[in-house]
Amino acid sequence: VLLKPACSYHILCFCLQMGWGDLGVFGEPSKETPNLDVMAAQGMLFPNFYTANPLCSPSRAALLTGRLPVRNGFYTTNAHARNAYTPQEIVGGISQDEILLPELLKKKDYVSKIIGKWHLGHRSQYLPLKHGFDEWFGSPNCHFGPYNNSVRPNIPVYNNSEMTGRYYEEFEINVKTGESNLTQIYLKEGLDFISQQATAQRPFFLYWAPDATHSPVYASERFLGKSQRGRYGDAVMELDDSIGQILAHLVSLGIHNNTLVFFTSDNGAAVMSGAHQSGSNGPFLCGKETTFEGGMREPAIAWWPGRIPAGTVSYQLASVMDLFSTSLSVTGVLPPDDRVIDGLDLSPVLFNNSLLDRPIFYYRGNQMMAVRIGQYKVHYWTWSNSWEEYNTGINFCPGQEVPGVTTHTQEEHTMQPLIFHLGQDPGERYPISVQSEEYRDVHRQVTAVVEQHQKDLIPGMPQLNMCDLAVMNWSPPGCELLGKCLKAPESNPWKCVWPH
């Protein structure tokens, strides 16, 4: 019998496009993540942890709904197998029909705060405080910029329901030097929130989502130039230090034995950005935007002193969507029963080191590209990026071209899928021979799982099809008080173009 311990405090550290190979505990040679490495030594490490999509916005929607993006609407039907997200010009956002984790935690009187990047829609009806969060400090979009505010506005930073400034203006990011204090601001917001709720003895959920490791990467002055890995490494070192401070703060407040903390990333390292602006996916193939292992396998650590056995490694196939179901389980909240929830409750894994039998589905837009069962991964479609992009120097798999695998045209393999044994071949370089009995056995087993999945799948209404310059962050709530309102152009919607 599994006795689930009650959890009063819940912290999710969701970093941007940090790769599986960015952590010392996973073999990064510079060994510059001492706090995350200690977190793993004190908790449970997941080598087989996956995001739900190889891109930022859909993975965040999946995390907070427990549902695949193709179900929760965070995908596009404008073209086949395209990655779509929420840039400023996107018209859509998270559907009102979706139920997010903080909405459900209210049933147990949890106070929920998001710090950092939201990315589920920037128009007012899509913002966090309309979807269950009680507090927010951060931005609705990536920190791209700077912009001149005439053709495209700079991204706003919100304090709860109103903007408090804009990136590159009140919140400086020096693109040339890489200096910015944003991670320190986000850290202070997190520590203060934890102190306030602990002092008031209120249960809380903190969703800490800094974005320093997204291009253009940044770090504060104390960390700039410290890493052997360059500016990206500086950003990782600061995030590692911040997570160490958060864990130490929990201990100093005496609430660590009552707090579940989970660290992971939203997608694989953006290797197409080059060594100065991206991280490492370790032994895995390609990176962000692709459904190869480098795009979707993530570093992941669970920490709960006294409840999760220290120094354990779980080989469970796990997903960001499981954090939805697990959070509900450890807080004693039932999941919605009127919809499919793709996330599993990982309580048996965390507390008993059990292994649950489950598949991992790899989606790119509206297409299931691959599935993993046990050690085997089966590719039904392959695609890195188009020849047109590749020939302009945009390479999703630098130094890793695998003939017939990292294809630059969308290749369907449904009749004879590519099958890899990820234990023996984590880099997806050596497809198993179609003539072998091993191939036939795996193909037969996986076909049954895929057919059932496709039979039961009811896609959600796609939210990422339409764009319009008029909906950009021209006049966010609160701009009047700051004198930061900008004139929007006339509305002229179009179907968004998603090249990859």
Side-chain angles (χ1 to χ4, degrees):
V1 177
L2 174 64
L3 297 176
K4 296 174 185 173
C7 173
S8 295
Y9 311 111
H10 198 88
I11 299 175
L12 176 58
C13 302
F14 201 51
C15 291
L16 261 83
Q17 55 194 44
M18 279 182 67
W20 191 94
D22 279 334
L23 273 59
V25 71
F26 279 139
E28 202 291 313
S30 300
K31 295 290 186 287
E32 293 176 345
T33 55
N35 294 287
L36 286 166
D37 298 347
V38 167
M39 183 183 179
Q42 295 174 347
M44 181 175 281
L45 185 68
F46 288 85
N48 295 309
F49 194 89
Y50 289 88
T51 186
N53 192 273
L55 197 63
C56 41
S57 298
S59 67
R60 289 160 194 274
L63 168 78
L64 291 173
T65 63
R67 288 153 55 81
L68 284 164
V70 73
R71 293 195 214 273
N72 66 38
F74 255 61
Y75 71 106
T76 183
T77 53
N78 287 357
H80 177 250
R82 293 302 203 279
N83 291 313
Y85 71 111
T86 53
Q88 282 200 74
E89 56 268 30
I90 199 76
V91 172
I94 192 69
S95 169
Q96 298 293 335
D97 295 330
E98 293 298 318
I99 304 174
L100 274 60
L101 178 59
E103 297 177 72
L104 292 163
L105 293 179
K106 286 186 184 299
K107 295 179 180 180
K108 293 288 185 177
D109 298 322
Y110 271 67
V111 179
S112 297
K113 180 163 187 168
I114 170 175
I115 296 172
K117 189 173 84 164
W118 169 240
H119 229 204
L120 299 188
H122 61 279
R123 300 170 72 198
S124 59
Q125 69 266 38
Y126 301 126
L127 294 177
L129 271 58
K130 298 286 182 70
H131 291 273
F133 283 98
D134 301 291
E135 299 180 30
W136 178 30
F137 189 94
S139 67
N141 307 90
C142 282
H143 61 273
F144 293 132
Y147 304 119
N148 64 10
N149 283 335
S150 59
V151 176
R152 181 174 288 262
N154 281 317
I155 304 296
V157 175
Y158 279 75
N159 186 12
N160 295 325
S161 58
E162 295 189 340
M163 72 175 287
T164 187
R166 294 184 188 268
Y167 284 145
Y168 302 98
E169 297 173 20
E170 291 76 13
F171 295 89
E172 294 182 15
I173 303 172
N174 188 318
V175 176
K176 185 175 181 180
T177 66
E179 183 177 350
S180 176
N181 287 325
L182 277 164
T183 300
Q184 292 303 307
I185 294 170
Y186 290 155
L187 172 61
K188 185 177 187 307
E189 286 285 328
L191 297 176
D192 288 349
F193 175 75
I194 292 167
S195 295
Q196 291 159 10
Q197 306 314 316
T199 300
Q201 296 187 318
R202 287 190 295 255
F204 69 77
F205 168 49
L206 172 59
Y207 176 34
W208 196 70
D211 67 350
T213 42
H214 191 293
S215 175
V217 299
Y218 61 80
S220 63
E221 183 181 13
R222 183 161 67 94
F223 291 91
L224 278 179
K226 298 296 186 200
S227 171
Q228 297 180 58
R229 306 177 65 194
R231 193 177 296 177
Y232 177 86
D234 297 339
V236 170
M237 289 181 74
E238 185 166 16
L239 292 175
D240 176 80
D241 179 80
S242 298
I243 291 168
Q245 288 194 51
I246 289 171
L247 298 184
H249 194 50
L250 297 173
V251 173
S252 71
L253 291 170
I255 61 173
H256 53 295
N257 289 330
N258 214 13
T259 307
L260 171 59
V261 184
F262 204 97
F263 162 84
T264 190
S265 173
D266 61 350
N267 49 250
V271 292
M272 77 288 287
S273 297
H276 297 291
Q277 293 286 326
S278 72
S280 166
N281 294 315
F284 303 122
L285 187 61
C286 305
K288 177 183 178 179
E289 308 267 12
T290 78
T291 50
F292 302 110
E293 289 297 287
M296 291 187 61
R297 203 188 297 205
E298 307 304 326
I301 304 167
W303 184 89
W304 189 351
R307 305 297 171 91
I308 294 173
T312 48
V313 176
S314 172
Y315 295 101
Q316 174 68 44
L317 300 191
S319 163
V320 293
M321 297 177 290
D322 301 342
L323 303 182
F324 174 91
S325 300
T326 307
S327 298
L328 294 180
S329 175
V330 298
T331 52
V333 178
L334 293 174
D337 60 5
D338 63 344
R339 64 200 60 208
V340 174
I341 301 295
D342 295 292
L344 292 185
D345 174 13
L346 294 179
S347 296
V349 179
L350 296 175
F351 308 130
N352 284 6
N353 209 3
S354 303
L355 287 176
L356 309 174
D357 186 27
R358 66 94 62 86
I360 294 290
F361 296 105
Y362 301 70
Y363 270 85
R364 184 163 172 167
N366 58 351
Q367 180 64 56
M368 191 201 76
M369 306 285 283
V371 63
R372 178 178 177 183
I373 293 181
Q375 293 279 29
Y376 294 97
K377 183 175 179 182
V378 181
H379 288 269
Y380 293 95
W381 287 82
T382 55
W383 191 35
S384 55
N385 64 332
S386 68
W387 282 115
E388 289 81 5
E389 278 195 332
Y390 181 76
N391 289 333
T392 65
I394 300 173
N395 189 350
F396 284 3
C397 311
Q400 291 185 308
E401 293 288 330
V402 181
V405 179
T406 56
T407 56
H408 291 287
T409 53
Q410 293 185 2
E411 298 293 334
E412 184 174 8
H413 309 277
T414 303
M415 300 307 294
Q416 194 173 86
L418 303 176
I419 301 180
F420 297 91
H421 186 292
L422 293 178
Q424 299 167 353
D425 178 25
E428 298 170 277
R429 289 168 172 81
Y430 308 105
I432 295 170
S433 169
V434 298
Q435 308 294 333
S436 67
E437 186 176 344
E438 179 183 22
Y439 182 96
R440 290 192 295 272
D441 288 346
V442 173
H443 189 204
R444 185 166 52 248
Q445 179 188 1
V446 172
T447 297
V449 172
V450 169
E451 286 179 350
Q452 188 64 48
H453 172 71
Q454 292 174 334
K455 177 184 171 187
D456 296 340
L457 180 66
I458 302 174
M461 184 71 70
Q463 301 296 310
L464 306 181
N465 280 351
M466 298 306 297
C467 287
D468 189 342
L469 296 180
V471 305
M472 294 200 291
N473 291 289
W474 302 106
S475 299
C479 68
E480 302 88 352
L481 292 173
L482 301 173
K484 304 288 289 186
C485 300
L486 301 168
K487 182 174 172 54
E490 288 188 17
S491 177
N492 184 23
W494 75 92
K495 275 192 169 184
C496 309
V497 177
W498 305 111
H500 43 254

